[in-house]
Structure formats: structure tokens, C-alpha cells
């Protein structure tokens, strides 16, 4: 934004500087109905999460109260302590397994998807179009259809019940490759790659020093989506892992399988489980929003 508003020599351009307040003035001139709609949507989106946190700090007797409680209680630390001490949930192990699986899948997906996206967008090799069509075709197959063959592969490898069964099959995705290919095709000029090649840079050096920095906004968006998807994945870990070696979603599910459902314990577990997602979004939020806005401007 600073570059767009700067004039010759890096000094602020008076014409663009005068135009900037007008753009933001339009934002504040929205109708009251627009503000009312946004406020209602905000309250409806946040209230279930807020109420979940409130119940997590109280006892089971308030779960069905009408009207629902709106202020936190004094039992939050006790509920979190009972959560980690529950012998059927393995909650600490579930948190660790989900963190390891989500981090490994996210790093691997961003690396391999950006590398393949660069190859499909900027390199010439035989069979490129057929390979790209094959990758796109994999996106059209429902995930449920692949569970049985994937489970049989895990059995053959002897990985059932182990964490690598949750990590290895998802180290790269067709959606990630296609997304990075589309972004690399627009964000990286061919002249920049040719200049790097003339300077003696290898193909991997061009990817590492030229292409990957240019793909950083799209990589941030892909990384967040991949982390959230892996963290929230339930069906495949339920099929391939054992109850004593769960992910965090399976740990919360173990709390719900008892004859007596302790809702405060389940809500406390869900509240703790969303903290890593909030931390990741706070750390990478600026990069992610910048990437989304850049893509919107290009579109």
C-alpha cells in the first residue's frame, strides 16, 4: 500500500494521499441496515463459542438453564484439571499427537505443493498437461471413497494404530498443488526466472530464492487451511488409531462415550482444543489476510 501511494523518489504522492481518505470515508458511509446486519451476524457467530466457554467454567446443573448463563463461573480450573486427569480421554496425548500431525502435514503440504506448483506453472516437461489433469481429477473423488483402500494399505504397511498413518497419506494434496500453480502463474514473471537462470541459479535455487518468497501470501493461506483441516480431522483418525493413542478430536469423543455425559468436561476439552487454532491464526493472521486481499485485488 505504501508503495502504491509513494511518488517519485519514494516521497508521498499528493494526488494519491488526498484520494486515500476518500476511500475510507466511503467505508464509514454504509447504511444503518448494513451495520445492523453485520452486528447480528457477529453475535450469532460468536455466541455459541462464548457460551461453550461459559459452561466450561461452571457445573453440569447450569447446562439446561433458561435463560443460559452469560457470565463465567469459578469451576474452570477444576474442569480443566479433571479433563487432563480423565483416564479414558488421554487428552494430553491427544493434544501432542494433533500438534505433531498438524505441523508435519502443514509444513510438508506447503513445501511440496509450492514446489509442484512452480514446476507446473513455469517449467516445461513432457506430459505436464496430463499430469496436471490427473492431479485435478483427484480433487473430484470423495474422501469417503478412499478410506477403505487407504486402510488396507495401512494394514499392509503395519501402520494401523500409529501416528504416521495420520501423517503420511496427507503430506501433499491436489488442491494445494493446483492452488500454488495458479498463484505462481500470475505472481512470478517469466522474465524474473530467466534472469535468475542467466545468473547461474539452478532450478531448485530459483524455486528457493525467487519463487518461494513470491508465493508467501498463498503459502500462508494454504498453511492455515491445512493446519485447521488436519487438526479437526475426525473420521480417518477414528478408523486407523487406537483409543489409547488418539488425536485431540478422538479424546473429546472419548469423553462423550460414557453413560453419564459430563458436558462441562466436554466443553472444557473443546475450549482447550481451539486454543492452538487461535494461536496459529494470531501469528499468521496478517500474512493470511494480506494474501487473501492481494488475490482479491488481482481478481
Amino acid at each position: 500500500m505504501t508503495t502504491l501511494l509513494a511518488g517519485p523518489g519514494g516521497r508521498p504522492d499528493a494526488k494519491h494521499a488526498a484520494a486515500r481518505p476518500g476511500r475510507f470515508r466511503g467505508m464509514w458511509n454504509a447504511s444503518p441496515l448494513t451495520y445492523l446486519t453485520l452486528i447480528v451476524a457477529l453475535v450469532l457467530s460468536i455466541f455459541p463459542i462464548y457460551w461453550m466457554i461459559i459452561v466450561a467454567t461452571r457445573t453440569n446443573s447450569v447446562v439446561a438453564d433458561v435463560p443460559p448463563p452469560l457470565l463465567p463461573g469459578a469451576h474452570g480450573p477444576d474442569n480443566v484439571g479433571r479433563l487432563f486427569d480423565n483416564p479414558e480421554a488421554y487428552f494430553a496425548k491427544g493434544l501432542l499427537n494433533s500438534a505433531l500431525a498438524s505441523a508435519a502435514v502443514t509444513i510438508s503440504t506447503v513445501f511440496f505443493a509450492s514446489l509442484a506448483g512452480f514446476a507446473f506453472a513455469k517449467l516445461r516437461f513432457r506430459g505436464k498437461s496430463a499430469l496436471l489433469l490427473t492431479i485435478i481429477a483427484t480433487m473430484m473423488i470423495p474422501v469417503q471413497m478412499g478410506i477403505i483402500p487407504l486402510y488396507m494399505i495401512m494394514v499392509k504397511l503395519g501402520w494401523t494404530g500409529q501416528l504416521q498413518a495420520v501423517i503420511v497419506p496427507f503430506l501433499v494434496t491436489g488442491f494445494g498443488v493446483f492452488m500454488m500453480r495458479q498463484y505462481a502463474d500470475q505472481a512470478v514473471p517469466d522474465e524474473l526466472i530467466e534472469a535468475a537462470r542467466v545468473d547461474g541459479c539452478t532450478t531448485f535455487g530459483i524455486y528457493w530464492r525467487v519463487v518461494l518468497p513470491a508465493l508467501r501470501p498463498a503459502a500462508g493461506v494454504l498453511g492455515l487451511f491445512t493446519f485447521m483441516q488436519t487438526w479437526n480431522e475426525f473420521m480417518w483418525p477414528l478408523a486407523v488409531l487406537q483409543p489409547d493413542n488418539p488425536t485431540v478430536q478422538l479424546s473429546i469423543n472419548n469423553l462423550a462415550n460414557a453413560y453419564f455425559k459430563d458436558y462441562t468436561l466436554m466443553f472444557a476439552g473443546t475450549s482447550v482444543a481451539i486454543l492452538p487454532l487461535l494461536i496459529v491464526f494470531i501469528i499468521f493472521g496478517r500474512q493470511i489476510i494480506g494474501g487473501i486481499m492481494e488475490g482479491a485485488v488481482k481478481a
Side-chain angles (χ1 to χ4, degrees), residues 53-127:
I53 297 174
I54 294 299
V55 174
T57 63
R58 290 176 171 264
T59 61
N60 276 300
S61 60
V62 304
V63 173
D65 282 358
V66 179
L70 298 178
L71 295 177
H75 297 274
D78 293 339
N79 292 336
V80 174
R82 290 193 300 118
L83 173 67
F84 281 93
D85 292 338
N86 191 298
E88 298 179 356
Y90 301 95
F91 195 77
K93 195 169 187 178
L95 276 177
L96 179 61
N97 284 343
S98 287
L100 291 175
S102 299
V105 171
T106 300
I107 294 173
S108 172
T109 298
V110 170
F111 174 72
F112 287 114
S114 60
L115 190 63
F118 160 59
F120 280 117
K122 298 298 176 182
L123 300 184
R124 297 178 181 176
F125 54 90
R126 184 175 299 176

Side-chain angles (χ1 to χ4, degrees), residues 226-272:
T226 304
F227 189 92
M228 290 178 60
Q229 183 177 7
T230 308
W231 186 271
N232 294 327
E233 181 62 38
F234 177 76
M235 188 167 53
W236 174 244
L238 179 64
V240 78
L241 293 181
Q242 299 297 327
D244 60 347
N245 187 31
T247 60
V248 68
Q249 306 300 335
L250 297 184
S251 294
I252 297 174
N253 183 63
N254 291 339
L255 294 172
N257 284 335
Y259 290 106
F260 170 69
K261 288 183 172 55
D262 191 333
Y263 289 102
T264 59
L265 210 58
M266 294 168 57
F267 286 2
T270 307
S271 301
V272 173

Side-chain angles (χ1 to χ4, degrees), residues 115-151:
L115 190 63
F118 160 59
F120 280 117
K122 298 298 176 182
L123 300 184
R124 297 178 181 176
F125 54 90
R126 184 175 299 176
K128 185 171 76 172
S129 299
L131 283 174
L132 182 60
L133 286 175
T134 303
I135 290 175
I136 293 174
T138 62
M139 298 164 55
M140 304 175 186
I141 302 175
V143 177
Q144 293 80 0
M145 291 185 64
I147 284 186
I148 293 178
L150 190 57
Y151 184 81

